[in-house]
Amino acid sequence: MKRIVSGVAAILLCLGASAQKVELVPFGDFENWTVRYIKESAIIGGETRVNYVVAPKDTIRENAAYDYSKTIWASSNAYAVVMGVTKVSCSVTPDEGPSGLCAKLENNMASIKAAGLVSVNVMATGSIFWGKMHEPITGISNPLSFMDWGIPFTKRPKAVIIDYKAVLPNTGKINKGNKQIDGYDPEQIMLILQNRSVDANGNIHVKRVGTAMLRISKSTGGWVFDKRIPVIYGDASKDPSFQSFMGLYAGKQSLYTVNSAGKSVPIPEEGWGDPDMPVTHGYFACSAGTQIDLSGALGNTLWVDNIRLEYE
């Protein structure tokens, strides 16, 4: 049987009336995947490539945008049409876990090469996140704008509980385009809880209400089970466990969403919300790297499974 609750979660569930409640995130056991077959352009070989979505079991054989209403999960897997060339990049795949399937997130290079037309090499950082991908992707100048970050979410979990395994070569080098430069690329698991509001002019305002983040800086050597990541409510920068990477998202790292006009717009976090401020949106993400601007460390790989949220 699939390993759903174990270790910390099992102990909590055995404590009776005072126990915490642990809920599996939808599709968080990674037993269900939609398999997509997408045909690339003839000018780059015309191969049919396989892509995956963490979603109900299904098979899709067409070059079409995915209907993300079927799942809360999107990923770095890309169906792109750049300068008329259809290309597929796959950095998230199902894999065998300790029992059943898990998600494998891997940094790899995505290339489009067509004589006289275009030659592009970009780093695809393996990641899964709550939200949607705007398909097809039509450019690489601002990749974050093709993602709709977060989902409506009003709960207030105490912690994230997750199983994971990490491999990081830690060569001191990262890839950016065709170049290798000095750099460090840790992996990350995080849950951000936000309060989003819209003013009379349709502008979206965002405050950070809850923060749970884990940076992974070295290989684990095997699976880590039931890792508990507490959620800090209110101003996380005042918490003793705060580290700089847990700060607000703004500037080049702003998250994006779709406004009332149907346009993808940045939504920088304008400040820390009060601990008791209502939560309206949640953003959960696991990533095999934390670099931006289409760069990262080749070989970084993160396996995740059994994503749960702990409540009172």
Side-chain angles (χ1 to χ4, degrees):
M1 180 179 291
K2 175 68 176 180
R3 180 185 180 279
I4 297 294
V5 178
S6 58
V8 170
I11 293 171
L12 290 171
L13 290 176
C14 290
L15 291 178
S18 63
Q20 310 299 321
K21 180 181 179 182
V22 177
E23 293 182 359
L24 182 72
V25 169
F27 303 108
D29 59 0
F30 300 102
E31 293 301 298
N32 296 278
W33 297 78
T34 292
V35 184
R36 305 171 68 189
Y37 293 91
I38 300 172
K39 186 175 178 59
E40 294 184 332
S41 293
I43 196 169
I44 58 171
E47 296 288 335
T48 296
R49 304 292 184 184
V50 180
N51 220 335
Y52 298 92
V53 185
V54 182
K57 290 180 181 179
D58 196 6
T59 300
I60 300 174
R61 300 179 184 272
E62 61 176 335
N63 288 23
Y66 183 74
D67 178 6
Y68 282 98
S69 68
K70 300 176 181 179
T71 181
I72 63 172
W73 293 99
S75 76
S76 53
N77 288 350
Y79 160 44
V81 182
V82 180
M83 296 180 64
V85 178
T86 298
K87 173 67 178 176
V88 173
S89 171
C90 186
S91 53
V92 175
T93 58
D95 200 9
E96 290 296 326
S99 57
L101 296 178
C102 66
K104 179 183 179 181
L105 322 177
E106 186 174 16
N107 287 3
N108 55 38
M109 296 297 293
S111 302
I112 299 178
K113 297 183 183 297
L117 183 63
V118 64
S119 179
V120 178
N121 291 294
V122 297
M123 171 62 65
T125 297
S127 61
I128 55 174
F129 63 93
W130 288 357
K132 302 175 183 178
M133 183 72 76
H134 302 306
E135 295 183 326
I137 294 170
T138 56
I140 61 172
S141 61
N142 187 7
L144 298 184
S145 67
F146 288 97
M147 305 174 191
D148 189 350
W149 305 75
I151 61 172
F153 187 84
T154 58
K155 295 182 178 182
R156 299 174 66 86
K158 290 187 62 178
V160 174
I161 301 175
I162 189 171
D163 302 338
Y164 74 94
K165 180 175 73 169
V167 169
L168 297 90
N170 280 339
T171 63
K173 299 290 183 180
I174 62 173
N175 288 70
K176 186 170 184 177
N178 295 320
K179 298 180 180 179
Q180 270 201 340
I181 59 176
D182 292 338
Y184 169 61
D185 193 22
E187 301 175 350
Q188 184 166 270
I189 298 166
M190 70 175 182
L191 173 66
I192 290 175
L193 303 176
Q194 297 177 327
N195 178 284
R196 298 185 189 179
S197 60
V198 182
D199 65 23
N201 296 318
N203 299 308
I204 301 170
H205 300 279
V206 182
K207 291 288 185 72
R208 173 84 68 83
V209 180
T211 306
M213 292 191 183
L214 172 69
R215 278 278 171 99
I216 305 165
S217 59
K218 61 182 180 180
S219 300
T220 60
W223 280 89
V224 176
F225 293 112
D226 303 318
K227 176 64 178 181
R228 187 180 184 275
I229 311 169
V231 179
I232 304 168
Y233 283 91
D235 187 347
S237 68
K238 297 179 179 179
D239 191 272
S241 65
F242 180 80
Q243 298 184 63
S244 60
F245 62 80
M246 300 166 69
L248 301 174
Y249 280 89
K252 291 179 67 176
Q253 289 188 313
S254 288
L255 308 184
Y256 278 72
T257 194
V258 176
N259 65 12
S260 58
K263 182 180 179 181
S264 180
V265 295
I267 49 168
E269 293 179 314
E270 299 167 326
W272 301 98
D274 294 330
D276 57 353
M277 178 177 279
V279 174
T280 66
H281 287 76
Y283 174 69
F284 184 87
C286 302
S287 179
T290 49
Q291 291 287 333
I292 60 174
D293 295 335
L294 299 173
S295 59
L298 274 176
N300 272 20
T301 309
L302 176 65
W303 291 261
V304 295
D305 203 3
N306 297 324
I307 298 173
R308 291 147 281 164
L309 296 179
E310 175 191 322
Y311 297 93
E312 291 285 1

